[in-house]
Amino acid sequence: MADLCSVPPEILVPAANETLELVLGSQVELNCTVRWAGTEHCQPIPTWSKDGQWLGRGSSQDTVWSGQNSSEQLLASVLQLNLTQDADFGVFACWISNATATFTLRRAEAVGHVPAVLAALLVLLLLVLLAVLYVQCRLNALLWYRDRYGELEINDGKLYDAYVSHANAPDDRKFIHFIVKPQLENRHGYKLFLDEQNILPNSEPSADLIMNVSRCRRLIVVLSVAYLEQEWCNSSFREGLWRLLELSRKPIFIVFESQYREITHPAITLLKQHRSAVTLLVWRAGSMTPSSDFWKELCLALPRKVSFPAGRSVGDPQTQLQEDKDPMLILHSSYLDSAGDLDPDGDLGTGLRGRIFGSPPPPRLGGPGIPRAPASSGMEEAQLRDGQRSEIDVSDLGSRNYGARTDFYCLVTEDDI
């Protein structure tokens, strides 16, 4: 029995010296559990100390029980502490025979509200910054995405990018000819069809309107005070709007800021109610700047432009991609050059008709013994001999309607002069 009592106890809890960081005002229980081999007669007596000072015997609660093996005994000593002041922190030690377990209690600074407030302010500042970037760069980002990944409207048989309808008033004409047209055609490369006539006489689209709008990819209406004085705008604008929606894909309506606020016309109210079906743009005081939001929104509503890299053929990409062989649409008509004509100062038809239109050479006079005239058109005879034909088919020149393509003939109108 004496030999068993001489065996030192084994500390089970804690497995190693512990260091605890606790805030002021907290409660903690320090548990020291040991196991020894022997009987209750060999039970050790636990004692506690703080910073090298012994605490009283009643400072801890001790519990003894037997293990699975009757020769093993376990003892748990629990020390309860209320950390109400700085003096309650320190190094606590549990002494059981010659075994010791140490607990180091340190005061932890209470987490204040300052970090949380700073984090909330930082998040709010970040959200405000993102909102400002969204407002400032939204249109630029949309334009970049449209120009890079947007749908290409080609091979659709359209001759113009937009049909522009405006009133026959001095202010409207100046706005279209000196602001809208130079900006869209010269800066952005769009092709416009301008019309100052009443597009809906008797509230029904005319045949010319249907034909011209069908040749344009978008419809732009400058909804000024003079425009709203038209009969269809006053009597049946709702029905006219449905007609325009049938003719064009999401029509574009331009209103002026001063008139937009003052006019109580029902057409303005109707357009506000149907913003999802139409594009309503407001011309403001700062819209004159080429980088204003007005032009960005207008370009977003217009089709994506196709541009060829440097060195490739120029002209309207839609016309080039459709392989239109119309001589009136080809900008660089090298085959119309008279360099190969034997008599450029004379009848051009003599030198060009055979090469372009494939007419036979003039007949030879005399019999077979008469020497042949100089072969001025050897290539023509070779083509006739080989059964070749000209690349250009002009058999339908008489049926082509060149009157619809006024942009190739009238570059400057009398009003512009």
Side-chain angles (χ1 to χ4, degrees):
M1 184 68 65
D3 295 336
L4 293 176
C5 292
S6 61
V7 177
E10 177 185 0
I11 298 178
L12 300 179
V13 179
N17 296 334
E18 289 188 1
T19 300
L20 304 177
E21 294 186 358
L22 304 172
V23 297
L24 190 65
S26 59
Q27 297 180 353
V28 64
E29 292 183 351
L30 304 180
N31 182 12
C32 181
T33 303
V34 297
R35 178 179 58 189
W36 76 92
T39 60
E40 296 180 0
H41 178 74
C42 300
Q43 176 181 346
I45 299 175
T47 55
W48 289 83
S49 65
K50 176 182 177 298
D51 298 332
Q53 301 294 329
W54 296 102
L55 302 178
R57 287 182 175 273
S59 60
S60 63
Q61 297 179 358
D62 303 334
T63 304
V64 180
W65 70 94
S66 299
Q68 296 180 355
N69 189 351
S70 58
S71 61
E72 291 183 351
Q73 299 292 326
L74 292 92
L75 181 142
S77 179
V78 178
L79 178 64
Q80 295 181 351
L81 299 174
N82 292 326
L83 306 177
T84 57
Q85 54 186 352
D86 293 340
D88 295 335
F89 295 89
V91 179
F92 293 83
C94 173
W95 302 83
I96 300 179
S97 296
N98 54 353
T100 306
T102 303
F103 300 86
T104 302
L105 303 184
R106 296 177 180 175
R107 180 178 176 179
E109 296 295 335
V111 180
H113 298 289
V114 176
V117 173
L118 292 178
L121 291 177
L122 182 61
V123 173
L124 180 61
L125 181 61
L126 181 61
L127 292 178
V128 172
L129 180 61
L130 291 177
V132 172
L133 290 177
Y134 175 78
V135 173
Q136 296 294 331
C137 305
R138 178 181 64 90
L139 295 177
N140 292 331
L142 292 177
L143 280 174
W144 175 85
Y145 183 84
R146 195 279 306 270
D147 294 338
R148 190 174 182 86
Y149 304 104
E151 177 185 0
L152 290 176
E153 300 183 30
I154 58 178
N155 295 331
D156 53 1
K158 307 292 185 180
L159 299 179
Y160 301 93
D161 292 306
Y163 179 100
V164 182
S165 175
H166 62 94
N168 187 12
D171 293 340
D172 292 29
R173 294 172 62 87
K174 292 178 182 178
F175 177 72
I176 293 297
H177 289 278
F178 294 100
I179 297 178
V180 175
K181 183 178 179 180
Q183 181 74 12
L184 293 182
E185 290 191 345
N186 300 339
R187 184 178 180 87
H188 298 284
Y190 289 105
K191 187 187 298 183
L192 305 181
F193 182 91
L194 306 181
D195 186 9
E196 59 186 28
Q197 303 298 325
N198 189 345
I199 61 175
L200 293 176
N202 301 324
S203 301
E204 292 292 336
S206 61
D208 292 339
L209 174 68
I210 297 176
M211 179 184 64
N212 294 328
V213 172
S214 65
R215 295 172 178 173
C216 304
R217 299 182 178 91
R218 296 292 187 275
L219 171 63
I220 300 177
V221 179
V222 181
L223 211 60
S224 62
V225 175
Y227 198 94
L228 291 175
E229 293 177 353
Q230 298 182 12
E231 182 180 356
W232 74 274
C233 293
N234 291 320
S235 59
S236 56
F237 184 82
R238 182 184 296 272
E239 291 74 11
L241 179 60
W242 302 147
R243 299 291 187 273
L244 296 181
L245 290 174
E246 294 174 356
L247 294 176
S248 178
R249 166 185 175 183
K250 199 170 185 179
I252 304 170
F253 292 88
I254 299 177
V255 297
F256 300 93
E257 184 180 19
S258 57
Q259 303 172 358
Y260 183 72
R261 295 178 177 178
E262 299 173 0
I263 293 179
T264 58
H265 198 281
I268 303 296
T269 306
L270 184 63
L271 292 177
K272 292 179 181 179
Q273 296 175 355
H274 297 82
R275 281 183 174 271
S276 59
V278 301
T279 300
L280 183 60
L281 302 180
V282 181
W283 176 266
R284 308 181 188 276
S287 299
M288 184 67 70
T289 307
S291 60
S292 64
D293 292 345
F294 174 84
W295 299 113
K296 296 176 183 178
E297 293 177 352
L298 183 56
C299 289
L300 279 175
L302 292 174
R304 172 187 174 187
K305 289 303 298 178
V306 183
S307 59
F308 287 135
R312 295 186 59 184
S313 58
V314 296
D316 188 0
Q318 285 80 356
T319 303
Q320 297 290 343
L321 294 176
Q322 291 178 34
E323 297 182 357
D324 194 340
K325 299 302 183 182
D326 190 341
M328 303 302 295
L329 293 181
I330 298 177
L331 299 181
H332 299 287
S333 303
S334 60
Y335 56 84
L336 293 178
D337 189 6
S338 60
D341 194 355
L342 296 178
D343 188 12
D345 296 332
D347 182 14
L348 294 179
T350 305
L352 295 178
R353 187 175 298 110
R355 301 195 310 70
I356 297 179
F357 302 125
S359 60
R364 293 184 298 169
L365 299 177
I370 300 177
R372 179 182 298 183
S376 60
S377 57
M379 184 176 296
E380 298 171 3
E381 296 181 1
Q383 291 179 355
L384 292 176
R385 195 166 49 244
D386 298 337
Q388 297 178 356
R389 299 187 60 184
S390 173
E391 292 182 351
I392 303 173
D393 183 9
V394 295
S395 58
D396 62 339
L397 280 178
S399 62
R400 291 178 182 260
N401 182 14
Y402 293 104
R405 297 171 177 171
T406 57
D407 57 317
F408 291 96
Y409 301 94
C410 184
L411 300 181
V412 179
T413 63
E414 295 180 359
D415 299 329
D416 293 334
I417 298 176

